[in-house]
Amino acid sequence: SAYPVMPQIPSMVRLARSLRQAFDSAKTSIPLCRAAGKICAEQVSFYPPGIPVLLPGELITEAIIAYCENMKNLNLPVSGPADGSLREIRVVF
C-alpha cells in the first residue's frame, strides 16, 4: 500500500475544564513530552484524518502524546497549535 498505516486515535479523553474555562484561563507553552496530566489550551488536529485529537479543556494523556509523536513521525501536517511543529503545546497555567 502507498499509504502509511495510521496510528489508532486515542479513546475518549476526559474534559477537565469547559471550553470557555480553558479559553479564559491563563496559558503557558510547555514541551509536548512533559504535558501528560496538564489541561490543553488549544486545538490539535492532524491531516489525515482531520479529527481533533485535543480540544481546549481536555486532559492530555501519555496515549495522546504517543499518538501525536507517531503522527509527527509520519510527517503529517498538524493544525491548530501555536507551535506548528508541536514540539510545545499550550496548556492551562
Side-chain angles (χ1 to χ4, degrees):
S1 165
Y3 296 100
V5 175
M6 300 299 284
Q8 175 85 23
I9 295 175
S11 59
M12 294 293 293
V13 295
R14 186 167 74 82
L15 190 64
R17 299 262 170 92
S18 73
L19 181 64
R20 172 61 62 197
Q21 288 170 325
F23 182 82
D24 289 341
S25 295
K27 300 159 193 65
T28 189
S29 291
I30 63 170
L32 178 64
C33 63
R34 293 201 336 247
K38 304 290 186 187
I39 299 169
C40 189
E42 59 189 354
Q43 180 174 315
V44 177
S45 302
F46 288 89
Y47 293 93
I51 300 165
V53 178
L54 283 166
L55 292 170
E58 292 180 340
L59 186 69
I60 302 169
T61 65
E62 291 289 351
I64 290 170
I65 293 170
Y67 174 82
C68 290
E69 292 296 345
N70 286 334
M71 297 299 272
K72 288 176 14 177
N73 289 338
L74 292 172
N75 294 316
L76 295 174
V78 62
S79 174
D83 175 4
S85 70
L86 197 56
R87 282 191 281 282
E88 292 197 337
I89 189 165
R90 290 175 53 98
V91 297
V92 171
F93 187 63

